[in-house]
Amino acid sequence: MSKVDEFLNAARHLLGERGLVTDPDLVEPWLTDWRGRYTGKARALASPATTDEVAALVRLCAKHGVPIVPQGGNSGMSGGATPDDSGDAVILSLRRMNGVRRFDTQARQITCDAGVVLQTLHETVEVEGLRFPLTLGGKGSATIGGLISTNAGGTQVLRHGTMRAQVLGIEAVLADGTVFDSLTPLKKDNRGFDLKQLLIGSEGTLGIVTAATLRLLPALAERAVLWAGVGDLRDARKLLLHAERMAGDALEGFEVLPRHSLASVLSYNSQARAPLQQAHEWNALIELTADASTADTLAALGQNLLESAMERGLVEDATIAANEAQAEAFWAIRDEISLAERAIGPAKQHDISVPVADMADFVVATMPKVEKAFPGTTAVAYGHLGDGNVHFHVLAAKGVDAEEWENGQGKAISAMVHDEVTAWGGSISAEHGIGQMKRDELARLTDPVHLAILRRVKDALDPDGLLNPGKLVPNSVQRSS
Ligand code: MLT
Ligand code: ZN
């Protein structure tokens, strides 16, 4: 029997027929990332049902030298959950591990398996009058393990922080198959390094997250969702400051959409309706929230905020969602940008941040610069202005060959955008992670001291390099330019 068959037989014995799939037709859907940018190969799709099974599989892989690519909802943005094309790896799907282990409504904490889907978590806690304060467009597929592994952001970071801020405890299987169990949340714990924080955002390169304890908040009593048409992105920034001053903690989200993104969604989804009559260069989507003590005054606050912003000339036109259905419809427009854009054609996506105060200036300066350097392209920036993070996408000229463009002009475009971001003191990955998409750019543009630490931590926790190889951590710590 070949070594590979020996491994597969042992894995099947361990996980059962349901837990180990080698049929190419069944493995195939999980070999390509959500954006359709990367396709790899794998020996098998392993779907353990428990942490013990994950640990046993990892030990088996270590024994046979088989690389592991952990995967949650496969909705990542940087190819972090897609194997390479060697065909050596197994995909380790956490989707079968989707149970709630403990739900403490008084402490407002929930411990769940890594494969729980974000939307399911929202619904589960809502029944008990609670909420999990992180959401994003991919909530119907993104899993808790994937969100932790990428330290996902989303549209409520402004008020509640990224995934890092929501995780109170973690359970993870390490490269040698041992289980790191730190699920019990302690408010104070100074026993050295915060190892759970090291695992959060490590993209499966240091360990496989199998469960987490998450913090919850009381359900909202009320929300007001505002849509404002704005002439200039710098005015949107002023509007944000104005909203922060007026609304304080009630300000939960502040997103911007350029005219192009709104138009993309309207043509992609025939059910979608523009919130305002006229098109504006920029749109701001603002969410205010209230608990029981402030619910009565929320609508007035929203009204005042918009009226005073208009008096100051920051807003051209604005509306407040009349009811919950309309509020959802406003957010659906925002959440559908990615899908709508994907339908238009090839584009280079850059998930970037610069200091919050500089983001409007960065966008205003960089969009025309890129379009001038690459005639026929269209630069579009949208998203989390309040976090100093926009999705800076550059759409190809019409009619290009997608693959040729990606590997030619597309690469040059990304290099230019990343150079600009670096010159402005920013990050080439604000929230989507490095994955395989940005690994070379990370190596090219990051301080060698930073890279050397990444490498040393990786070598210490995964000396054989079997956990998600080729992702995040550059092989070399030398700057390539
Ligand atoms: C978003 O903010 O919509 C997501 O991060 C996905 C993206 O469009 O890049
Ligand atoms: Zn985003």
Side-chain angles (χ1 to χ4, degrees):
M1 196 190 305
S2 76
K3 289 256 177 231
V4 173
D5 287 340
E6 206 180 293
F7 164 76
L8 291 174
N9 280 345
R12 188 167 292 112
H13 182 70
L14 195 69
L15 304 175
E17 289 298 325
R18 215 180 139 203
L20 193 90
V21 171
T22 50
D23 178 344
D25 288 345
L26 298 177
V27 178
E28 201 254 355
W30 310 105
L31 295 174
T32 298
D33 71 309
W34 181 84
R35 275 193 167 135
R37 191 177 294 261
Y38 302 102
T39 297
K41 294 182 187 140
R43 284 183 190 181
L45 173 70
S47 308
T50 63
T51 301
D52 285 347
E53 285 188 2
V54 175
L57 180 71
V58 170
R59 279 194 295 274
L60 188 69
C61 288
K63 182 174 160 201
H64 290 264
V66 174
I68 299 167
V69 178
Q71 197 178 82
N74 196 25
S75 49
M77 297 287 188
S78 305
T82 307
D84 64 20
D85 57 11
S86 69
D88 292 339
V90 291
I91 297 175
L92 196 168
S93 165
L94 280 305
R95 285 181 292 274
R96 260 180 90 203
M97 290 180 59
N98 59 4
V100 171
R101 297 192 188 178
R102 191 160 172 269
F103 187 2
D104 185 339
T105 53
Q106 281 193 347
R108 298 204 294 253
Q109 294 167 358
I110 190 164
T111 300
C112 60
D113 288 337
V116 168
V117 170
L118 179 58
Q119 191 162 345
T120 310
L121 176 70
H122 286 160
E123 289 162 6
T124 305
V125 304
E126 205 180 291
V127 174
E128 296 295 335
L130 295 168
R131 70 173 174 136
F132 180 66
L134 184 141
T135 191
L136 36 73
K139 60 179 180 261
S141 53
T143 59
I144 296 308
L147 294 164
I148 291 174
S149 300
T150 54
N151 183 29
T155 47
Q156 256 74 20
V157 173
L158 183 66
R159 172 89 173 86
H160 302 290
T162 62
M163 199 63 188
R164 213 175 268 296
Q166 323 308 329
V167 178
L168 302 172
I170 218 169
E171 178 192 86
V173 173
L174 304 179
D176 60 1
T178 52
V179 178
F180 169 66
D181 179 353
S182 135
L183 281 175
T184 312
L186 297 174
K187 197 150 188 173
K188 299 178 91 171
D189 180 13
N190 276 349
R191 290 173 293 174
F193 312 137
D194 190 342
L195 297 173
K196 80 172 176 299
Q197 290 298 345
L198 187 60
L199 285 157
I200 299 171
S202 68
E203 302 184 22
T205 62
L206 303 181
I208 297 159
V209 175
T210 45
T213 303
L214 305 167
R215 77 173 179 128
L216 304 170
L217 298 178
L220 293 177
E222 188 73 64
R223 70 170 172 169
V225 177
L226 285 47
W227 189 287
V230 181
D232 179 301
L233 191 59
R234 291 190 178 106
D235 283 344
R237 158 86 182 136
K238 289 183 197 149
L239 177 62
L240 166 65
L241 293 174
H242 181 64
E244 282 174 342
R245 269 194 304 270
M246 278 198 73
D249 277 355
L251 180 64
E252 175 123 348
F254 189 102
E255 298 284 307
V256 291
L257 301 77
R259 178 196 281 257
H260 185 283
S261 296
L262 176 57
S264 306
V265 174
L266 296 177
S267 68
Y268 172 76
N269 179 356
S270 57
Q271 307 288 310
R273 294 280 165 273
L276 300 174
Q277 275 189 337
Q278 306 286 330
H280 300 265
E281 281 314 304
W282 291 91
N283 302 271
L285 175 59
I286 306 168
E287 178 159 300
L288 309 177
T289 59
D291 60 19
S293 64
T294 52
D296 288 351
T297 54
L298 194 70
L301 174 63
Q303 197 68 40
N304 285 343
L305 198 161
L306 289 179
E307 280 170 11
S308 52
M310 271 190 189
E311 278 161 20
R312 287 169 166 75
L314 303 177
V315 163
E316 294 173 343
D317 191 10
T319 184
I320 302 185
N323 48 43
E324 197 43 34
Q326 204 175 28
E328 279 297 307
F330 286 5
W331 273 111
I333 294 174
R334 163 64 188 91
D335 287 342
E336 263 185 5
I337 299 176
S338 262
L339 277 169
E341 273 212 2
R342 197 174 63 161
I344 295 178
K348 290 303 276 188
Q349 288 95 1
H350 312 94
D351 156 46
I352 55 170
S353 62
V354 298
V356 181
D358 297 336
M359 185 45 101
D361 290 340
F362 171 86
V363 170
V364 170
T366 311
M367 286 209 315
K369 219 168 166 175
V370 172
E371 288 176 348
K372 189 166 173 225
F374 300 97
T377 60
T378 308
V380 177
Y382 69 90
H384 323 293
L385 189 71
D387 307 329
N389 165 209
V390 295
H391 300 299
F392 192 103
H393 294 187
V394 183
L395 283 60
K398 292 230 169 338
V400 298
D401 174 82
E403 209 179 314
E404 210 176 288
W405 182 79
E406 280 271 336
N407 296 319
Q409 189 178 71
K411 273 205 167 140
I413 289 171
S414 290
M416 180 176 178
V417 173
H418 291 157
D419 284 345
E420 290 290 332
V421 168
T422 306
W424 283 67
S427 164
I428 64 167
S429 175
E431 62 173 4
H432 293 167
I434 298 297
Q436 51 185 302
M437 182 189 269
K438 284 168 263 174
R439 199 174 78 128
D440 292 348
E441 285 294 79
L442 184 78
R444 184 172 75 86
L445 294 166
T446 306
D447 178 358
V449 176
H450 179 138
L451 294 176
I453 296 171
L454 287 183
R455 185 73 256 167
R456 275 187 238 154
V457 172
K458 169 74 174 169
D459 290 344
L461 288 186
D462 180 22
D464 297 328
L466 293 179
L467 293 184
N468 217 4
K471 314 291 164 46
L472 172 58
V473 187
N475 286 330
S476 156
V477 297
Q478 303 296 316
R479 275 177 197 262
S480 59
S481 71

